[in-house]
Amino acid sequence: MNCEEPLARTLAALDRLAPGRLERDAPLGARTTYRVGGPARGLLRVASGADLDLVHEALQAAEGPVPLLCLGQGSNLLVADAGFPGLVLFFDPGAATLTMPTPEGLEPGCSVLVRADAGYPLPILARRAAASGLGSVAWAVGIPGSVGGAVRMNAGGHGADTASCLVAAWVADLARGTLERWDPGRLGHGYRSSRLGPEHAVVAAELQAQVEDPETAKARIAEIVRWRRANQPGGANAGSVFANPPGDAAGRLVEEAGLKGWRQGSAAVSAKHANFVQADPGGRAEDVRRVIDHVQATVARRLGVELRLELRLVGFSDQPLPVVEALRSA
């Protein structure tokens, strides 16, 4: 698939439609929690739905498929050292808003709705909700991602996930130039998955939260943070690399295969939690990928289990590019 000319036309159109806002050869790996990997050919900060209208218009000028990636906090991505040969839409957390009701006068256990823009960081959402006496989204404090990313991959932890509290998401279709409200049935969430494709950009989400005593909610936040610090490594990583197989834990399988601490160059399986692969400061994405490939092959050979990636690989030559081709306006 030749995307070079359509990409060039799209970037040129964005230069015209949003002068001074498109960043060429923009750092991408550095915007992920791995802190490794190369640049994106173009990056546009998205602060509102109007920005996505501009993207749709620019894609119409492409007259062909354009590699396109939506980026939040970058906590589930490994970007190749060569970078991403396309356009990245970066959902700016500085422009994202959170709207919560005041639960004063409401009985504990009452449900209320919380709305957040796609770029809003999950840990901040969880802490602000807890401080206001809305504690059922406390699980999100341990997910270093954004609301949009959580909707896309059904992020979760500590016995809950996005699907368990999501009421609706507003999704822009960049191919059609539409914005629609998607209910949970349409999103089709599964384990760390949804029906959202590369042409879809989450704009905002509405979550259901429950009223409870703020001190109880904040104590739950503190316990989750304590547990994660005790059981998961810090440093440059993207959380769980492999999805848990049914009835088992990927980390247990990696450890049973004797791979805890296994190193390749500037990357290694964490000695603290075997489902984490850590990158050294100034390391290479290729080393992280080699560790991942070695773990998958070894677990399959020794234990007969095919581990499925939860991590998303971006820009690697053996991975399909996420592409969008806009429908032409009548």
Side-chain angles (χ1 to χ4, degrees):
M1 181 186 301
N2 183 7
C3 300
E4 198 63 36
E5 289 187 12
L7 174 63
R9 284 192 285 266
T10 298
L11 298 184
L14 282 174
D15 277 332
R16 174 176 53 82
L17 294 166
R21 293 182 54 197
L22 180 70
E23 187 178 351
R24 303 269 187 158
D25 297 319
L28 180 57
R31 283 187 165 95
T32 71
T33 54
Y34 259 126
R35 307 293 183 222
V36 298
R41 289 282 297 279
L43 182 142
L44 182 73
R45 287 178 176 265
V46 174
S48 68
D51 291 336
L52 296 177
D53 292 337
L54 296 180
V55 172
H56 170 67
E57 188 174 344
L59 288 170
Q60 286 187 307
E63 299 180 0
V66 176
L68 187 142
L69 177 70
C70 293
L71 177 69
Q73 299 293 297
S75 60
N76 195 44
L77 301 178
L78 176 65
V79 178
D81 294 313
F84 178 66
L87 171 64
V88 171
L89 305 182
F90 174 56
F91 286 77
D92 190 351
T97 62
L98 173 67
T99 304
M100 296 186 299
T102 302
E104 291 178 9
L106 296 178
E107 292 291 327
C110 286
S111 293
V112 297
L113 297 181
V114 173
R115 181 183 168 112
D117 290 338
Y120 205 87
L122 289 172
I124 299 177
L125 183 154
R127 289 182 184 277
R128 286 192 59 189
S132 296
L134 303 175
S136 56
V137 292
W139 60 269
V141 75
I143 312 295
S146 65
V147 168
V151 172
R152 180 174 292 276
M153 68 165 288
N154 192 21
H158 304 279
D161 58 18
T162 306
S164 69
C165 61
L166 184 72
V167 175
W170 283 261
V171 179
D173 187 321
L174 299 173
R176 297 178 178 274
T178 58
L179 176 64
E180 296 180 320
R181 183 184 185 274
W182 286 37
D183 62 24
R186 186 175 180 183
L187 286 162
H189 282 130
Y191 179 69
R192 305 295 178 262
S193 66
S194 73
R195 294 197 185 110
L196 293 170
E199 73 277 17
H200 297 128
V202 178
V203 175
E206 197 170 58
L207 308 173
Q208 187 176 66
Q210 253 114 45
V211 176
E212 68 175 321
D213 174 64
E215 294 308 313
T216 301
K218 287 189 282 189
R220 187 176 297 113
I221 292 277
E223 174 57 23
I224 291 173
V225 171
R226 183 207 63 77
W227 185 93
R228 292 180 77 89
R229 287 176 177 168
N231 293 278
Q232 296 180 352
N237 65 69
S240 296
V241 171
F242 304 106
N244 289 326
D248 210 337
R252 187 198 70 78
L253 293 166
V254 176
E255 187 168 357
E256 185 179 338
L259 294 170
K260 210 171 189 182
W262 191 86
R263 172 170 287 276
Q264 170 68 52
S266 62
V269 177
S270 169
K272 194 170 189 178
H273 192 307
N275 199 16
F276 285 59
V277 175
Q278 293 180 270
D280 295 342
R284 300 177 66 247
E286 188 59 34
D287 289 340
V288 178
R289 177 70 190 278
R290 285 174 179 170
V291 171
I292 291 169
D293 289 348
H294 177 77
V295 168
Q296 282 183 305
T298 304
V299 169
R301 185 177 69 253
R302 294 181 182 173
L303 304 178
V305 179
E306 300 286 340
L307 289 176
R308 180 175 64 85
L309 278 180
E310 187 173 308
L311 179 71
R312 187 175 179 187
L313 304 177
V314 173
F316 290 87
S317 60
D318 64 340
Q319 299 295 308
L321 279 173
V323 297
V324 177
E325 185 165 3
L327 301 179
R328 301 293 295 172
S329 297

